[in-house]
Amino acid sequence: MNSFFITIYRWFCDSSLDAFKYMKRIDVDGEMLSSMMPTIGWTALIISVLMAVAFYIWPINHPRFKAWWAWMIMIAINAAINFGLTFAFLSNRIASIKNNTIIFDEFADTNGNFSIAMINQISLATANACVSILFFCGASLILTWFSSNCKYSPFRA
């Protein structure tokens, strides 16, 4: 699953970003365990599907919201939630690396400095927002069949 999510995220952001480097899990002994990208990917998928279910099935399934603008509002809310969660997750991860001396040595550069540019955090969060939009669109194509009021949203037949 790790390679699947990393491949999808590389479509939207440069794989040489430092943000990918900091997504690795390390235990207290400094051993590399795995990547945290599947955690971010699964979270984006679950939130996107739940947002689509809320729009097409329950509780938002209402004739007033069958227009394309309501679908765009839902997709924007979905992207904003996933952007914020990824940014917070990455900020928390960087703070935890700075506080642990064993892990800090693993991620520090040759001069002993540890820094990640804010643009790298924003880039990864933006990539997650784009991936969540893809997941939402896929879930929308499936869930339109089960909707009573929003069956043709965002596309009219």
Side-chain angles (χ1 to χ4, degrees), residues 96-113:
S96 69
I97 289 172
K98 287 181 179 180
N99 293 334
N100 191 330
T101 56
I102 296 172
I103 295 175
F104 182 83
D105 293 338
E106 180 71 30
F107 287 104
D109 62 6
T110 56
N111 298 331
N113 296 330

Side-chain angles (χ1 to χ4, degrees), residues 21-99:
K21 181 173 119 179
Y22 300 121
M23 289 288 103
K24 301 212 182 300
R25 275 191 203 140
I26 297 180
D27 67 3
V28 270
D29 298 327
E31 297 277 329
M32 197 73 69
L33 295 176
S34 66
S35 175
M36 297 175 120
M37 290 306 291
T39 305
I40 293 174
W42 280 110
T43 304
L45 178 67
I46 290 169
I47 290 172
S48 299
V49 169
L50 288 176
M51 292 291 285
V53 166
F55 181 72
Y56 285 105
I57 299 174
W58 183 83
I60 303 174
N61 186 17
H62 192 274
R64 185 181 315 155
F65 298 114
K66 67 181 179 181
W68 63 271
W69 55 265
W71 187 80
M72 292 299 287
I73 289 172
M74 291 299 288
I75 209 166
I77 291 170
N78 177 41
I81 289 171
N82 281 298
F83 178 90
L85 284 176
T86 303
F87 190 81
F89 183 76
L90 188 56
S91 297
N92 185 25
R93 177 71 180 137
I94 290 169
S96 69
I97 289 172
K98 287 181 179 180
N99 293 334

